[in-house]
Amino acid sequence: RFSYGHVERYMKRCLAYGMFPGFFSHNASQGHYFTRPELYERDRPLFKKYVPLCRLVAQAGWEPVTLARSDREGVRVERYGDRYLTVFNDTDRRQDVSVTVEMETDNTVADLVDGRRLDLRNGKVVVALDPEDVVVLQLLED
């Protein structure tokens, strides 16, 4: 009953907080996820997309002072190392979010989830996030 969409939502939340996804059965001893190819093969594209990003931010290390903030309630920002921010829409509605960045960077930010470049203007970058969606922003230097 845990669909592909549920797994993707779970992986996005894990990424937002720099955690690796884990899968257990209902009683932790029967029907393990990784003994069921119909599940792990179905979800393989999600593992290929999100686990390397989870590793990247985890290796950079979570920082308690974000030096960045969202202008929307329910949109969480976390900082990893001195180059990465995760921005997570923890609401049930799509939001256009302006993230104010107080870290040294040039005027370009990379969205590592979608592989696109975003402009940083006056210390702010705007991202559109669906419900329970996440971006990983890499602050680029000249």
Side-chain angles (χ1 to χ4, degrees):
R1 291 182 292 195
F2 206 66
S3 70
Y4 184 89
H6 285 106
V7 173
E8 185 166 30
R9 284 178 35 213
Y10 170 61
M11 288 198 175
K12 287 178 178 184
R13 190 172 293 271
C14 288
L15 174 57
Y17 297 108
M19 307 297 291
F20 287 94
F23 291 83
F24 295 91
S25 65
H26 68 288
N27 63 6
S29 67
Q30 297 171 320
H32 297 284
Y33 177 87
F34 287 107
T35 65
R36 301 184 57 197
E38 72 273 14
L39 296 178
Y40 66 74
E41 290 296 345
R42 175 198 71 189
D43 300 334
R44 186 177 297 276
L46 298 174
F47 282 90
K48 287 182 165 186
K49 180 175 184 175
Y50 292 106
V51 170
L53 293 170
C54 291
R55 181 178 340 136
L56 178 75
V57 297
Q59 286 176 333
W62 177 77
E63 296 289 338
V65 178
T66 60
L67 299 176
R69 64 185 178 281
S70 159
D71 69 340
R72 299 282 183 228
E73 190 172 324
V75 176
R76 315 283 182 229
V77 179
E78 298 290 336
R79 177 167 67 108
Y80 297 89
D82 60 358
R83 301 270 50 111
Y84 303 104
L85 298 169
T86 62
V87 184
F88 180 66
N89 181 6
D90 196 13
T91 73
D92 61 359
R93 64 191 177 283
R94 181 177 171 82
Q95 298 204 58
D96 292 324
V97 182
S98 177
V99 178
T100 301
V101 178
E102 299 168 358
M103 299 162 57
E104 291 296 319
T105 187
D106 69 10
N107 291 329
T108 307
V109 176
D111 169 3
L112 300 181
V113 174
D114 289 334
R116 61 189 170 147
R117 300 279 176 139
L118 303 169
D119 290 328
L120 184 71
R121 293 207 168 103
N122 299 320
K124 296 181 183 196
V125 61
V126 176
V127 294
L129 292 169
D130 288 328
E132 298 185 66
D133 201 3
V134 68
V135 294
V136 176
L137 302 178
Q138 180 183 19
L139 306 176
L140 303 173
E141 294 181 321
D142 290 328

